[in-house]
Amino acid sequence: MDNRFATALVIACVLSLISTIYMAASIGTDFWYEYRSPAPENFSDLNKIRDDFVDSDPDEKTYNDLLFRYNGTVGLWRRCITVPNKSTPWYSSPEKTESSDLITECFSFTLSEQFMEKYVEPGNHNTGIDLLRTYLWRCQFLLPFVSLGLMCFGALIGLCACACRSLYPTIATGVLHFLAGLCTLGSVSCYVAGIELLHQKLQLPENVKGEFGWSFCLACVSAPLQFMAAALFIWAARTNRKEYTLMKAYRMAPWSNVHEEKRTIEYRNRHK
């Protein structure tokens, strides 16, 4: 194998590994979007806050209001808020609390919640289903897993190519990485669109700021890495295949001419 192709494959494999790690980390963490709000004066209704936040039949407006007010963070799987620790003395005498007494409590979205319909007016079931937000939410949840699956399948094909000592199957690896990049890009786009539409329905309170977190940034970085890996895989496989075909034709050409000359001489001798 030419050193150019070997170098391209090594770089592509490294990019693929990094993008896989980034994508897995972004899926498993809870910082796709973060809210920054002033510390509440008190938490006198702390039990009600917890009950509303971990309700098995969640109201989208209720838990988003809590995210706004209590420095919430949202991931693909979980939502989190910052509340006082039950074990602190403050908990029995609620006034103001120090930051060291605050803990982050998280609650996972169930599978049924991931596929739950979103309403035109969040929290109001009588306003009809908002199909756009519903399918944006489902896509932002499903596409990252499709992306990871495609990259793993591409890696399996790459291992088979190594076992067969052929670069040509790595074209499939490149195509799968390209599709994975599209899925990652689609997931990021769906998430941004979903957040923007949500904030149009539910305005952020005064002094509350929202920003995309580092989990979201990992997904954003993962997409171009997948595209670069795909380009290197496809380039190495196609170029190596072309050069192999040309070299094979070059090696066979002299022998073909010799055989043709022998057949010509034999034909002439027979017809003298």
Side-chain angles (χ1 to χ4, degrees):
M1 184 190 301
D2 193 310
N3 287 337
R4 293 176 302 160
F5 305 138
T7 303
L9 288 179
V10 170
I11 295 174
C13 290
V14 171
L15 292 175
S16 175
L17 179 61
I18 294 174
S19 65
T20 302
I21 294 173
Y22 282 4
M23 199 66 218
S26 69
I27 292 174
T29 50
D30 310 317
F31 298 92
W32 279 65
Y33 202 84
E34 304 176 22
Y35 295 100
R36 295 287 178 262
S37 57
E41 293 296 324
N42 62 68
F43 292 85
S44 57
D45 56 346
L46 184 59
N47 288 329
K48 184 177 184 306
I49 292 172
R50 284 193 171 96
D51 290 341
D52 290 341
F53 195 66
V54 301
D55 190 357
S56 58
D57 185 18
D59 182 326
E60 185 183 17
K61 184 178 186 306
T62 300
Y63 74 71
N64 273 294
D65 284 342
L66 294 175
L67 289 172
F68 297 162
R69 291 163 53 198
Y70 299 109
N71 293 301
T73 61
V74 187
L76 297 180
W77 279 97
R78 299 197 304 175
R79 56 183 184 266
C80 305
I81 55 174
T82 303
V83 293
N85 191 346
K86 289 183 179 181
S87 62
T88 61
W90 177 91
Y91 183 69
S92 57
S93 178
E95 294 293 339
K96 284 192 174 181
T97 183
E98 300 294 333
S99 59
S100 60
D101 296 331
L102 298 175
I103 61 171
T104 299
E105 289 199 353
C106 299
F107 181 74
S108 298
F109 293 104
T110 64
L111 196 59
S112 60
E113 290 172 17
Q114 296 285 11
F115 292 94
M116 186 177 295
E117 293 85 359
K118 306 295 181 183
Y119 295 97
V120 174
E121 183 180 328
N124 188 347
H125 295 196
N126 298 320
T127 56
I129 298 173
D130 189 333
L131 292 177
L132 179 57
R133 289 202 308 121
T134 297
Y135 285 103
L136 285 174
W137 181 278
R138 293 175 182 178
C139 288
Q140 77 184 27
F141 164 69
L142 290 174
L143 288 177
F145 292 98
V146 175
S147 176
L148 275 181
L150 289 171
M151 284 194 292
C152 292
F153 189 49
L156 182 61
I157 293 177
L159 291 176
C160 293
C162 291
C164 297
R165 297 183 178 180
S166 172
L167 273 180
Y168 198 65
T170 55
I171 288 183
T173 301
V175 171
L176 289 174
H177 275 71
F178 179 76
L179 294 176
L182 289 179
C183 289
T184 303
L185 191 60
S187 176
V188 168
S189 302
C190 289
Y191 194 85
V192 172
I195 287 290
E196 292 299 323
L197 290 174
L198 174 65
H199 290 166
Q200 289 178 10
K201 308 285 184 180
L202 297 176
Q203 296 293 330
L204 291 178
E206 188 177 356
N207 297 326
V208 175
K209 297 181 180 179
E211 60 186 14
F212 293 100
W214 59 266
S215 299
F216 175 83
C217 294
L218 287 180
C220 291
V221 173
S222 180
L225 293 179
Q226 291 165 342
F227 287 131
M228 287 189 286
L232 287 173
F233 278 128
I234 294 173
W235 174 82
R238 285 182 59 85
T239 308
N240 182 71
R241 183 70 176 182
K242 287 180 180 179
E243 292 197 2
Y244 174 77
T245 302
L246 291 174
M247 186 178 297
K248 185 176 179 181
Y250 175 77
R251 288 176 177 176
M252 292 298 294
W255 293 102
S256 300
N257 293 336
V258 169
H259 291 309
E260 184 66 28
E261 289 177 2
K262 286 183 178 179
R263 285 195 295 269
T264 302
I265 293 172
E266 290 175 358
Y267 178 80
R268 288 176 179 176
N269 290 335
R270 284 198 303 267
H271 292 81
K272 281 185 178 179

